Amino acid sequence: MGYGNVFRCCLSLAKSKHYIGMIYMQAMPKDYNFIEIEQKWQAKWEEMDIYHYDWNDKSRPSYSIDTPPPYPSGELHMGNVLNWTYFDMVARYRRMRGFNVLFPQGWDCHGLGIEIQVEKANNIRKRDLAPDQFRGMCMALVEKYIAMMKEGILKLGASIDWTTEYRTMDPDYWRRTQLSFILLHQKGYMYQGTHPVNWCPRDETAIADAEVDHIKKEGSLHYIKFHLADSSGEYLLIATSRPEFIPACVAVEVNPNDERYTQYIGKKISVPLMNREVTIIADEAVDPKFGTGAMQICTYGDKEDVKTVIKHKLPVIRLIQQNGQISDAGCKYAGLYVNQARAAIVEDLKTAGLLEKSEKVQQEVGVCDRCKTLVEILEVKQWFMKTMELTGKVEENANAIPWYPDYMKNRLIDWAKALDWDWVISRQRLFATPIPVWYCKNCSELIIAKPEWVPIDPKIEGPRIEACPKCGNKDFKGEQDVMDTWMDSSITCAVHAGWPDRPDWKQLFPASIHPSGTDIIRTWAYYLMVRHLALFEERPFNSVLINGMVLGADGRKMSKSLKNYAAAPEVLNKHGADATRQWAAGGGATGSDIPYRTQDVEYGRRFLVKLWNAAGFANNLLAAYNPKEQSELDLQLLDKWIISKTENLTKKVTEAFERCQFNIAIEDIRNFTWHVFCDFYLEAIKDRLYRPDVYGKTNTAAAQRTLYEVLYRLLQLFAPIAPHLTEEIYQHMYQDSKGYQSIQVSPWPQFNPTNVDENAEHNGDLITAIMSEIRRDKAEKKLALNAPIKNLVIYAKDDAVVIRQGTIDIAATLKIENITVQQEEGEGRQVAQYQVYIKPQY
């Protein structure tokens, strides 16, 4: 009999004299309406105020999540769904473990990405408008995108404390960022200097290493003749993919162990097309196998050029200007853009007979992560933070804390060790936090803001001093550069904790967990680490949770351009939050890339319907059950079996949540609920619950109590993953008796080893294996599962006693009129791995 067919029976049972006590449970609707249920509980949870971090509560331990403030990008995408589901499962699990959880929410507003979108959307450049007007357009776009993303996060059911919401573009957040700059300058970590930096010509700003994407593209390798300066006619053949840098050539370099070139080391060589000479130098860093083994050193073609120039103290020729055009140092090529200069120089080399050949090659190039323009290396004056000297501490602290998964810490350590220069923190943009610095117009003395001055904008406000402390001049020029947007978001651990305003901010610092994606370990996790180590001499977080990227059904990273993209609002509207969250939880191991497949979400939806129907069935059967009434219990074999298995499930799921192995937790919960609880236990106890007059009151009470408590345990374990459905069932069936306002604040179940019974599990597994084999026999004979069996003979030489104990449940579940258990060897269908055989007669 299916769950939907027992309603009339249950109503009569509810009125039976065998059921004594108050009715605690409310009737559940037949159908699972996820839209109605999810909307209802998202609103009620806010009313209950159960997500609010209580600063005055000292009775519970604090647990803080360093929620990454997302960059507002508009519509929530499936990558955001994955991220926020991870964060939320942690928050909900920790609340149930008794923690006072801080789950904050901010928005990382500033940066190049927003400016580029404003420029493209309005077909303008930032210089076309007054700064305030352009910033206003950026702020309007940010607010639009925040509203869209917030709607999606709310629909997902994230248990965020919205009283903590902040925007990095607000002056109050400026204050915190600017204060951190001032303090780091006082400690000697901030400095200004003229150094090579990554530069985006399109956006005309410096960018950090972490903002450079490396892509593969086809290029050309040009083999160019560099004639020796001794008029001998000899030349060295040099292969380069960037001939446009010939005007900035400052040396030719070879490997000192390369016998082809040892005789030329120290000699002068002519720069093609240029009326000047450079020296041939030696360095073991040169790869003799690349190209011809001889290479031109230019300022600056790449980072290797930078290292060589510094090492050998070579001169610097500033060839490329900030807008991407060739400077006067390019002679006849001045004013051309890089691509134009490359084409012109190649043609001139051909004409002069200096180009031997060109061949196509696959090369890796760096592009701006926002606009995808080829990144150049320019020597410009910028603000830097000393980060290289912190690499040892970064490694030490990364190794000192747990990472989920553990191997991800190597990405942070490897990145820190691979950096070639300090973090350039200044940007030549408008929409960002101002750098709180002025310069004396007379003597160029540097004026750093005092902590009490911030927030302040030096572009429109002067320093709060009467005169320059060095020369007495009263005229100052405010710093025009602004801060890298990572300067805002790399102090979140301290800001979330209440720094600098709350004297007790260390109560929440370091953060308990830092959740991050594989794509921002090199930025957010790294910048958080160096900023907090420098500011507070303490690591910012005590554990790290890493999520992977979301892949389309074709196995590639989900992208609108690849047309393998699924919009999160469409998925949530069609399938609901709880089904979508199951996809996120079960898609793969923590830290691994996760494919988005509609069928995975649909399976989650089917599971919710299965659990809803099972709970509705149990609710009807237990309609008059009084959980507060302690009655004598007569636990049967399958009662003991399900209790023991539920306890072991609790242990496994708890361990999985502690290790952030959400895929293991959900797999164990769903398999147990569907195949152990529903397929076997519920089916087995129906008859006991329908006919208490036949089985006896204590036997029926045992089934009632077991069903009631096992279902409650499953709801608890599943609550962090599917909060809406579990809350709805809890409120119908358990709220009155358990007494907790919400299942989300009910205590997480503690593993009780005394409930584990290995013998009961073995015996129950045998009984359910017999049931499975009988079902299989019916299926092969194309009979309905409820088709009656007249006689069933079971041959079991060693397990006959156990099987006799379970015959009541076997007979009731599979509609068997008579069961005979013979303690002997026999023939028939073998039951799984047991030496047990069955012979059904229909």
Side-chain angles (χ1 to χ4, degrees), residues 38-74:
E38 291 178 358
Q39 288 179 346
K40 176 177 73 174
W41 285 112
Q42 286 160 14
K44 285 194 173 183
W45 285 327
E46 289 298 322
E47 292 174 11
M48 291 178 179
D49 203 23
I50 60 176
Y51 303 149
H52 183 66
Y53 178 77
D54 188 347
W55 288 90
N56 298 316
D57 184 358
K58 308 302 180 184
S59 63
R60 294 178 293 162
S62 294
Y63 190 92
S64 57
I65 300 172
D66 183 35
T67 321
Y71 200 71
S73 56

CSV table of all heavy atoms in Angstrom, one decimal, residues 38-74:
chain,number,residue,atom,x,y,z
A,38,GLU,N,8.9,27.7,0.8
A,38,GLU,CA,10.1,28.5,0.9
A,38,GLU,C,9.9,29.9,1.1
A,38,GLU,O,10.6,30.6,1.9
A,38,GLU,CB,10.9,28.2,-0.4
A,38,GLU,CG,11.4,26.7,-0.5
A,38,GLU,CD,12.2,26.4,-1.7
A,38,GLU,OE1,12.4,27.3,-2.6
A,38,GLU,OE2,12.7,25.2,-1.8
A,39,GLN,N,9.0,30.5,0.4
A,39,GLN,CA,8.7,31.9,0.6
A,39,GLN,C,8.2,32.2,2.1
A,39,GLN,O,8.6,33.2,2.7
A,39,GLN,CB,7.6,32.4,-0.3
A,39,GLN,CG,8.1,32.5,-1.8
A,39,GLN,CD,7.1,33.0,-2.7
A,39,GLN,OE1,5.9,33.0,-2.4
A,39,GLN,NE2,7.5,33.4,-3.9
A,40,LYS,N,7.4,31.3,2.6
A,40,LYS,CA,6.9,31.4,3.9
A,40,LYS,C,8.0,31.4,4.9
A,40,LYS,O,8.1,32.3,5.8
A,40,LYS,CB,5.9,30.3,4.2
A,40,LYS,CG,5.3,30.3,5.7
A,40,LYS,CD,4.3,29.3,5.9
A,40,LYS,CE,4.9,27.9,6.0
A,40,LYS,NZ,3.9,26.9,6.4
A,41,TRP,N,8.9,30.4,4.9
A,41,TRP,CA,9.9,30.3,5.9
A,41,TRP,C,11.0,31.3,5.7
A,41,TRP,O,11.6,31.8,6.7
A,41,TRP,CB,10.5,28.9,5.9
A,41,TRP,CG,9.5,28.0,6.6
A,41,TRP,CD1,8.7,27.0,6.0
A,41,TRP,CD2,9.0,28.1,7.9
A,41,TRP,NE1,7.8,26.5,6.9
A,41,TRP,CE2,8.0,27.1,8.1
A,41,TRP,CE3,9.3,28.9,9.0
A,41,TRP,CZ2,7.3,26.9,9.3
A,41,TRP,CZ3,8.7,28.7,10.2
A,41,TRP,CH2,7.7,27.8,10.3
A,42,GLN,N,11.3,31.8,4.5
A,42,GLN,CA,12.3,32.9,4.4
A,42,GLN,C,11.8,34.1,5.1
A,42,GLN,O,12.6,34.8,5.7
A,42,GLN,CB,12.5,33.1,2.9
A,42,GLN,CG,13.4,32.0,2.2
A,42,GLN,CD,13.3,32.0,0.7
A,42,GLN,OE1,12.7,32.9,0.1
A,42,GLN,NE2,13.7,30.9,0.1
A,43,ALA,N,10.5,34.4,5.0
A,43,ALA,CA,9.9,35.6,5.7
A,43,ALA,C,9.9,35.3,7.3
A,43,ALA,O,10.3,36.2,8.1
A,43,ALA,CB,8.6,35.9,5.2
A,44,LYS,N,9.4,34.1,7.7
A,44,LYS,CA,9.3,33.8,9.1
A,44,LYS,C,10.6,33.8,9.8
A,44,LYS,O,10.7,34.2,11.0
A,44,LYS,CB,8.5,32.5,9.3
A,44,LYS,CG,7.0,32.7,9.0
A,44,LYS,CD,6.2,31.5,9.5
A,44,LYS,CE,4.7,31.8,9.4
A,44,LYS,NZ,3.9,30.7,10.0
A,45,TRP,N,11.6,33.2,9.2
A,45,TRP,CA,12.9,33.2,9.9
A,45,TRP,C,13.4,34.6,10.2
A,45,TRP,O,14.0,34.8,11.2
A,45,TRP,CB,13.9,32.5,9.0
A,45,TRP,CG,13.8,31.0,8.9
A,45,TRP,CD1,13.3,30.2,10.0
A,45,TRP,CD2,14.0,30.1,7.8
A,45,TRP,NE1,13.3,28.9,9.5
A,45,TRP,CE2,13.7,28.8,8.3
A,45,TRP,CE3,14.5,30.3,6.5
A,45,TRP,CZ2,13.9,27.7,7.4
A,45,TRP,CZ3,14.6,29.2,5.7
A,45,TRP,CH2,14.3,27.9,6.1
A,46,GLU,N,13.2,35.5,9.3
A,46,GLU,CA,13.6,36.9,9.5
A,46,GLU,C,12.8,37.5,10.7
A,46,GLU,O,13.3,38.2,11.6
A,46,GLU,CB,13.3,37.8,8.3
A,46,GLU,CG,14.3,37.5,7.2
A,46,GLU,CD,15.8,37.8,7.5
A,46,GLU,OE1,16.0,38.8,8.3
A,46,GLU,OE2,16.7,37.1,7.1
A,47,GLU,N,11.5,37.1,10.8
A,47,GLU,CA,10.6,37.6,11.9
A,47,GLU,C,11.1,37.0,13.2
A,47,GLU,O,11.1,37.6,14.2
A,47,GLU,CB,9.2,37.2,11.6
A,47,GLU,CG,8.5,37.9,10.5
A,47,GLU,CD,7.1,37.3,10.2
A,47,GLU,OE1,6.6,36.5,11.1
A,47,GLU,OE2,6.6,37.7,9.2
A,48,MET,N,11.5,35.7,13.2
A,48,MET,CA,12.0,35.0,14.4
A,48,MET,C,13.3,35.6,14.9
A,48,MET,O,13.7,35.5,16.0
A,48,MET,CB,12.2,33.6,14.1
A,48,MET,CG,10.9,32.8,13.9
A,48,MET,SD,11.4,31.0,13.5
A,48,MET,CE,9.7,30.3,13.3
A,49,ASP,N,14.1,36.3,14.0
A,49,ASP,CA,15.4,36.9,14.3
A,49,ASP,C,16.4,35.8,14.8
A,49,ASP,O,17.2,36.1,15.7
A,49,ASP,CB,15.2,37.9,15.4
A,49,ASP,CG,16.3,39.0,15.4
A,49,ASP,OD1,17.0,39.1,14.3
A,49,ASP,OD2,16.6,39.6,16.4
A,50,ILE,N,16.3,34.6,14.2
A,50,ILE,CA,17.2,33.6,14.7
A,50,ILE,C,18.6,33.6,14.1
A,50,ILE,O,19.5,32.9,14.5
A,50,ILE,CB,16.6,32.2,14.4
A,50,ILE,CG1,16.3,31.9,12.9
A,50,ILE,CG2,15.3,32.0,15.2
A,50,ILE,CD1,15.8,30.5,12.6
A,51,TYR,N,18.8,34.5,13.1
A,51,TYR,CA,20.1,34.6,12.5
A,51,TYR,C,21.0,35.7,13.0
A,51,TYR,O,22.1,35.9,12.6
A,51,TYR,CB,20.0,34.8,11.0
A,51,TYR,CG,19.1,33.8,10.2
A,51,TYR,CD1,18.4,34.1,9.1
A,51,TYR,CD2,19.1,32.5,10.7
A,51,TYR,CE1,17.6,33.2,8.5
A,51,TYR,CE2,18.4,31.5,10.0
A,51,TYR,CZ,17.6,31.9,8.9
A,51,TYR,OH,16.9,30.9,8.2
A,52,HIS,N,20.4,36.5,14.0
A,52,HIS,CA,21.1,37.7,14.5
A,52,HIS,C,22.2,37.3,15.5
A,52,HIS,O,21.9,36.5,16.4
A,52,HIS,CB,20.1,38.6,15.2
A,52,HIS,CG,20.7,39.8,15.7
A,52,HIS,ND1,21.2,40.8,14.8
A,52,HIS,CD2,20.8,40.3,16.9
A,52,HIS,CE1,21.6,41.8,15.6
A,52,HIS,NE2,21.4,41.5,16.8
A,53,TYR,N,23.4,37.8,15.2
A,53,TYR,CA,24.5,37.5,16.2
A,53,TYR,C,24.2,38.4,17.4
A,53,TYR,O,24.1,39.6,17.3
A,53,TYR,CB,25.8,37.8,15.5
A,53,TYR,CG,27.0,37.6,16.5
A,53,TYR,CD1,27.4,36.4,16.8
A,53,TYR,CD2,27.5,38.7,17.2
A,53,TYR,CE1,28.5,36.2,17.7
A,53,TYR,CE2,28.6,38.5,18.1
A,53,TYR,CZ,29.0,37.3,18.3
A,53,TYR,OH,30.0,37.1,19.2
A,54,ASP,N,24.3,37.7,18.6
A,54,ASP,CA,24.0,38.4,19.8
A,54,ASP,C,25.4,38.7,20.5
A,54,ASP,O,26.0,37.9,21.1
A,54,ASP,CB,23.2,37.5,20.7
A,54,ASP,CG,22.7,38.2,22.0
A,54,ASP,OD1,23.2,39.3,22.3
A,54,ASP,OD2,21.8,37.7,22.7
A,55,TRP,N,25.7,40.0,20.4
A,55,TRP,CA,27.0,40.5,21.0
A,55,TRP,C,27.0,40.3,22.5
A,55,TRP,O,28.1,40.3,23.1
A,55,TRP,CB,27.3,41.9,20.6
A,55,TRP,CG,27.6,42.1,19.2
A,55,TRP,CD1,26.7,42.3,18.2
A,55,TRP,CD2,28.9,42.1,18.6
A,55,TRP,NE1,27.4,42.4,17.0
A,55,TRP,CE2,28.8,42.3,17.2
A,55,TRP,CE3,30.2,41.9,19.1
A,55,TRP,CZ2,29.9,42.3,16.3
A,55,TRP,CZ3,31.3,41.9,18.3
A,55,TRP,CH2,31.1,42.1,16.9
A,56,ASN,N,25.9,40.3,23.1
A,56,ASN,CA,25.8,40.2,24.6
A,56,ASN,C,25.8,38.8,25.2
A,56,ASN,O,25.8,38.6,26.4
A,56,ASN,CB,24.6,41.0,25.1
A,56,ASN,CG,24.7,42.5,24.7
A,56,ASN,OD1,25.8,43.1,24.9
A,56,ASN,ND2,23.6,43.1,24.3
A,57,ASP,N,25.6,37.8,24.3
A,57,ASP,CA,25.5,36.5,24.7
A,57,ASP,C,26.9,35.8,25.0
A,57,ASP,O,27.6,35.6,24.0
A,57,ASP,CB,24.7,35.7,23.6
A,57,ASP,CG,24.4,34.2,24.1
A,57,ASP,OD1,24.9,33.8,25.2
A,57,ASP,OD2,23.8,33.5,23.3
A,58,LYS,N,27.2,35.7,26.2
A,58,LYS,CA,28.5,35.0,26.5
A,58,LYS,C,28.3,33.6,26.9
A,58,LYS,O,29.3,32.9,27.2
A,58,LYS,CB,29.1,35.8,27.7
A,58,LYS,CG,29.2,37.3,27.6
A,58,LYS,CD,30.1,37.7,26.3
A,58,LYS,CE,30.1,39.2,26.2
A,58,LYS,NZ,30.9,39.6,24.9
A,59,SER,N,27.1,33.1,26.9
A,59,SER,CA,26.8,31.7,27.3
A,59,SER,C,27.2,30.7,26.2
A,59,SER,O,27.5,29.5,26.4
A,59,SER,CB,25.4,31.5,27.7
A,59,SER,OG,24.5,31.7,26.5
A,60,ARG,N,27.2,31.2,24.9
A,60,ARG,CA,27.5,30.3,23.8
A,60,ARG,C,28.9,30.7,23.2
A,60,ARG,O,29.2,31.9,23.2
A,60,ARG,CB,26.4,30.4,22.7
A,60,ARG,CG,25.1,29.9,23.1
A,60,ARG,CD,24.1,30.0,22.0
A,60,ARG,NE,23.8,31.5,21.7
A,60,ARG,CZ,23.3,31.9,20.6
A,60,ARG,NH1,23.0,31.1,19.6
A,60,ARG,NH2,23.1,33.2,20.4
A,61,PRO,N,29.6,29.8,22.7
A,61,PRO,CA,30.9,30.1,22.0
A,61,PRO,C,30.5,30.8,20.7
A,61,PRO,O,29.5,30.5,20.0
A,61,PRO,CB,31.5,28.8,21.7
A,61,PRO,CG,30.4,27.8,21.7
A,61,PRO,CD,29.4,28.3,22.7
A,62,SER,N,31.3,31.8,20.3
A,62,SER,CA,31.1,32.5,19.0
A,62,SER,C,31.7,31.7,17.9
A,62,SER,O,32.7,31.1,18.0
A,62,SER,CB,31.8,33.9,19.1
A,62,SER,OG,31.1,34.7,20.1
A,63,TYR,N,31.1,31.9,16.7
A,63,TYR,CA,31.6,31.3,15.5
A,63,TYR,C,31.4,32.3,14.4
A,63,TYR,O,30.2,32.8,14.1
A,63,TYR,CB,30.9,30.0,15.1
A,63,TYR,CG,31.5,29.2,14.0
A,63,TYR,CD1,32.5,28.3,14.3
A,63,TYR,CD2,31.2,29.5,12.7
A,63,TYR,CE1,33.1,27.6,13.2
A,63,TYR,CE2,31.8,28.8,11.6
A,63,TYR,CZ,32.7,27.8,11.9
A,63,TYR,OH,33.3,27.1,10.9
A,64,SER,N,32.5,32.8,13.8
A,64,SER,CA,32.4,33.9,12.7
A,64,SER,C,32.8,33.3,11.4
A,64,SER,O,33.8,32.7,11.2
A,64,SER,CB,33.2,35.1,13.1
A,64,SER,OG,34.6,34.7,13.3
A,65,ILE,N,32.0,33.7,10.4
A,65,ILE,CA,32.2,33.3,9.0
A,65,ILE,C,32.7,34.6,8.3
A,65,ILE,O,32.0,35.6,8.2
A,65,ILE,CB,30.9,32.8,8.3
A,65,ILE,CG1,30.5,31.5,9.1
A,65,ILE,CG2,31.2,32.4,6.9
A,65,ILE,CD1,29.1,31.0,8.6
A,66,ASP,N,33.9,34.5,7.7
A,66,ASP,CA,34.4,35.6,6.9
A,66,ASP,C,33.8,35.6,5.5
A,66,ASP,O,34.4,35.3,4.5
A,66,ASP,CB,35.9,35.5,6.8
A,66,ASP,CG,36.5,36.7,6.1
A,66,ASP,OD1,36.0,37.8,6.3
A,66,ASP,OD2,37.5,36.5,5.4
A,67,THR,N,32.5,35.9,5.5
A,67,THR,CA,31.7,35.9,4.2
A,67,THR,C,32.4,36.8,3.2
A,67,THR,O,32.6,38.0,3.4
A,67,THR,CB,30.3,36.4,4.4
A,67,THR,OG1,29.8,35.9,5.6
A,67,THR,CG2,29.4,35.9,3.3
A,68,PRO,N,32.7,36.3,2.0
A,68,PRO,CA,33.4,37.2,1.0
A,68,PRO,C,32.3,38.2,0.5
A,68,PRO,O,31.3,37.8,0.0
A,68,PRO,CB,33.8,36.2,-0.1
A,68,PRO,CG,32.9,35.0,0.1
A,68,PRO,CD,32.6,34.9,1.6
A,69,PRO,N,32.6,39.5,0.6
A,69,PRO,CA,31.7,40.4,-0.1
A,69,PRO,C,31.8,40.3,-1.6
A,69,PRO,O,32.9,40.5,-2.2
A,69,PRO,CB,32.3,41.8,0.4
A,69,PRO,CG,33.7,41.5,0.7
A,69,PRO,CD,33.8,40.1,1.2
A,70,PRO,N,30.7,39.9,-2.2
A,70,PRO,CA,30.8,39.6,-3.7
A,70,PRO,C,30.9,40.9,-4.5
A,70,PRO,O,30.4,42.0,-4.0
A,70,PRO,CB,29.5,38.9,-4.0
A,70,PRO,CG,28.5,39.4,-3.0
A,70,PRO,CD,29.4,39.6,-1.7
A,71,TYR,N,31.5,40.8,-5.6
A,71,TYR,CA,31.6,41.9,-6.5
A,71,TYR,C,30.3,42.0,-7.2
A,71,TYR,O,29.9,41.0,-7.9
A,71,TYR,CB,32.7,41.7,-7.5
A,71,TYR,CG,33.2,42.9,-8.2
A,71,TYR,CD1,33.9,43.9,-7.5
A,71,TYR,CD2,32.9,43.2,-9.6
A,71,TYR,CE1,34.3,45.1,-8.1
A,71,TYR,CE2,33.4,44.3,-10.2
A,71,TYR,CZ,34.0,45.3,-9.5
A,71,TYR,OH,34.5,46.4,-10.1
A,72,PRO,N,29.5,43.1,-7.1
A,72,PRO,CA,28.1,43.1,-7.7
A,72,PRO,C,28.2,43.0,-9.2
A,72,PRO,O,28.9,43.8,-9.9
A,72,PRO,CB,27.6,44.5,-7.3
A,72,PRO,CG,28.4,44.9,-6.1
A,72,PRO,CD,29.8,44.3,-6.3
A,73,SER,N,27.6,41.9,-9.7
A,73,SER,CA,27.7,41.6,-11.2
A,73,SER,C,26.4,41.4,-11.8
A,73,SER,O,26.3,41.0,-12.9
A,73,SER,CB,28.6,40.4,-11.4
A,73,SER,OG,28.1,39.3,-10.7
A,74,GLY,N,25.3,41.7,-11.0
A,74,GLY,CA,24.0,41.5,-11.6
A,74,GLY,C,23.3,40.2,-11.2
A,74,GLY,O,23.4,39.8,-10.0
